[in-house]
Amino acid sequence: MALVLFDTNIFIDMLDGVHQATIELGSYDRPAISVVTYMELRAGEIPRPQDKPVLDAILAEFEVIEVSRRIIDIAIAIRGNT
């Protein structure tokens, strides 16, 4: 199965109790997040320490994709064309 990249929003929904978000996050063999999403989630647990155990468990299942200059340039091009 293909690598599936998730953004921060779906994790926020999961932490807020949206059941469908939890189902979606667990539905893929190769889930991934960008290093930016990882940073946002970990920074978000500072004011919400109750989220840390949940994030620890779920993020252990996700590949963290580093953001290279090539990825940045491609993202800018895609964003600029929408």
Side-chain angles (χ1 to χ4, degrees), residues 44-65:
E45 73 187 19
I46 293 169
R48 293 176 51 148
Q50 71 275 13
D51 293 343
K52 186 176 181 352
V54 174
L55 287 173
D56 287 347
I58 196 160
L59 291 178
E61 303 299 319
F62 283 71
E63 180 178 344
V64 178
I65 306 295

Side-chain angles (χ1 to χ4, degrees), residues 3-80:
L3 184 83
V4 178
L5 186 69
F6 289 94
D7 196 17
T8 310
N9 316 34
I10 194 164
F11 290 93
I12 293 169
D13 287 347
M14 177 204 63
L15 293 169
D16 287 341
V18 177
H19 184 67
Q20 188 59 38
T22 303
I23 292 171
E24 191 68 20
L25 286 167
S27 295
Y28 300 93
D29 292 334
R30 294 188 60 208
I33 57 174
S34 74
V35 69
V36 174
T37 295
Y38 184 85
M39 291 184 312
E40 290 173 343
L41 292 170
R42 290 306 189 180
E45 73 187 19
I46 293 169
R48 293 176 51 148
Q50 71 275 13
D51 293 343
K52 186 176 181 352
V54 174
L55 287 173
D56 287 347
I58 196 160
L59 291 178
E61 303 299 319
F62 283 71
E63 180 178 344
V64 178
I65 306 295
E66 299 294 327
V67 180
S68 67
R69 180 61 188 222
R70 182 172 178 260
I71 291 172
I72 292 167
D73 290 342
I74 291 169
I76 290 168
I78 291 169
R79 178 91 176 162

